[in-house]
Amino acid sequence: MNAPAKIETPAVAVPDGVYAETVLSVTHYTDRLFRFRMTRPDGFRFRSGEFAMIGLMVGEKPIYRAYSIASPAWDEELEFFSIKVPDGPLTSHLQAIKPGDKVLMRKKPTGTLVLDALTPGKRLYMFSTGTGIAPFASLIRDPETYEKFEEVILTHTCRDVAELKYGFDLIEEIKNHEFLPDIVGDKLKLYSTVTREDYPFKGRITDLMESGKLFADLGVPPLDPAVDRGMICGSTAMLKDTKALLEKAGLHEGANNKPSEFVIERAFVG
C-alpha cells in the first residue's frame, strides 16, 4: 500500500493576488522610527510619490496599512519609512521584521503626491512632518523632479532632533550616489525643524511660514502661485494648517485628474 502523499504547509500563507516580498535590510533610528528595504516584484510599476498597501499575516489573516514608497520609481528595491506604535495592529508586528522575513504588498499603488498632479512651476516645496517625509524620499531621488523644477525645497519637522536623521541620511545618500549628484546639483535644499528640543531651526513649519522665517532662512521670496508648487504629507493638523497657508497665498489644490498648484496626501497621517 502506498504511503499517503505528504502535504507541504507553507511557512507564510499568502493571500491570492498579493505579493510576498523579502526584507533585505532594516534600520532602526529611534524607539519610534525605522526604515526597511525589500525586494521589488517583477513587473511592479509605480510613480514616485505613490503609496502601496503593505502588511503582514497576523494569525490567520493579513493586516494592511497604507505606506508611501520611499524609494524612487527607478530603484530595483522598495524602501519604506515607518513609525512604531506599541499596540498598533500592524506596526507592533512590523517593527520586529528582520532580513529574510516576508512582507505582503497589494498589487496596485496609488496616491496624489505625484508630479503629474502639479501644473508647471519653478520651485517645488515638499512639506512633511514625521514619517510624512517618505513620499518625498522617493521624489527627491527621481530625476524627473529636477527636470520639472529649478529648485526643490524639502521641509521636515519632527518633535526631536534624533527623528530628523532619516532626512539627513537621504541627503548623504544622494551626494554619494552613482548618478544623482550630476542631476540634483544644487537644486535640492533640506529645511529641518524640531518642536521640542533646542535646535538652530525650531518650531512648527506653519509658524515659520507665517512669520516669514522659513523664506528668510532659505533666501527665497514668499509663496507665489506663478512660480511655487507644493506637496503636503504629515499629521492631520499640519495638513489642514499648511493647506490654509498655501490657499491664502493664492495656490489651489490639485489632483491626478485636475493638476494645480499644490497637492495633499490624505490616505494616512504620520
Side-chain angles (χ1 to χ4, degrees):
M1 191 166 121
N2 293 332
K6 185 178 178 183
I7 299 173
E8 295 286 348
T9 304
V12 176
V14 179
D16 290 338
V18 174
Y19 296 119
E21 296 305 308
T22 304
V23 176
L24 299 171
S25 65
V26 184
T27 304
H28 293 274
Y29 284 95
T30 69
D31 58 1
R32 294 184 66 247
L33 298 170
F34 71 106
R35 95 199 263 191
F36 67 95
R37 292 179 71 86
M38 67 184 198
T39 53
R40 178 174 177 169
D42 290 338
F44 179 71
R45 299 284 177 265
F46 68 96
R47 294 179 294 174
S48 293
E50 289 189 315
F51 67 87
M53 300 299 293
I54 67 170
L56 295 171
M57 293 298 296
V58 178
E60 298 290 310
K61 54 189 270 190
I63 294 179
Y64 297 96
R65 291 291 182 272
Y67 271 79
S68 288
I69 304 170
S71 46
W74 55 262
D75 203 326
E76 294 178 0
E77 300 172 359
L78 296 178
E79 179 179 314
F80 297 92
F81 185 47
S82 177
I83 195 167
K84 304 177 187 180
V85 181
D87 55 354
L90 177 60
T91 59
S92 60
H93 302 280
L94 193 64
Q95 64 186 289
I97 60 171
K98 55 191 183 301
D101 289 349
K102 294 291 185 182
V103 172
L104 305 179
M105 184 175 71
R106 289 184 179 157
K107 295 192 173 183
K108 186 167 172 51
T110 187
T112 54
L113 296 180
V114 292
L115 296 172
D116 293 344
L118 295 173
T119 51
K122 291 185 178 179
R123 185 182 299 114
L124 174 60
Y125 284 92
M126 302 172 176
F127 300 103
S128 71
T129 57
T131 54
I133 193 175
F136 305 138
S138 174
L139 285 157
I140 64 171
R141 290 183 280 184
D142 191 323
E144 187 184 358
T145 303
Y146 304 96
E147 291 169 11
K148 292 193 169 184
F149 293 94
E150 297 172 13
E151 191 172 5
V152 178
I153 296 168
L154 168 60
T155 80
H156 188 210
T157 301
C158 295
R159 299 187 303 183
D160 309 312
V161 176
E163 297 179 342
L164 297 174
K165 189 167 188 317
Y166 178 64
F168 298 147
D169 282 357
L170 289 171
I171 300 301
E172 280 305 304
E173 287 167 22
I174 288 172
K175 286 179 180 176
N176 295 311
H177 191 267
E178 180 185 358
F179 63 78
L180 285 176
D182 293 336
I183 294 167
V184 176
D186 59 359
K187 287 186 172 185
L188 175 64
K189 292 178 182 172
L190 173 64
Y191 187 84
S192 304
T193 78
V194 297
T195 57
R196 293 190 181 180
E197 293 184 324
D198 284 334
Y199 191 65
F201 303 98
K202 186 172 182 181
R204 298 171 66 216
I205 193 64
T206 44
D207 292 339
L208 297 166
M209 292 167 70
E210 280 194 285
S211 70
K213 188 175 188 308
L214 167 69
F215 308 109
D217 287 343
L218 291 168
V220 297
L223 291 172
D224 178 355
V227 296
D228 291 320
R229 299 294 175 262
M231 292 177 159
I232 314 171
C233 190
S235 66
T236 305
M238 177 268 196
L239 296 183
K240 177 175 168 285
D241 294 346
T242 310
K243 169 183 160 77
L245 288 174
L246 295 188
E247 289 180 336
K248 185 179 176 182
L251 283 72
H252 300 89
E253 185 175 355
N256 276 293
N257 58 355
K258 189 185 176 186
S260 198
E261 287 96 34
F262 75 92
V263 285
I264 297 174
E265 186 54 80
R266 292 188 172 86
F268 42 80
V269 297

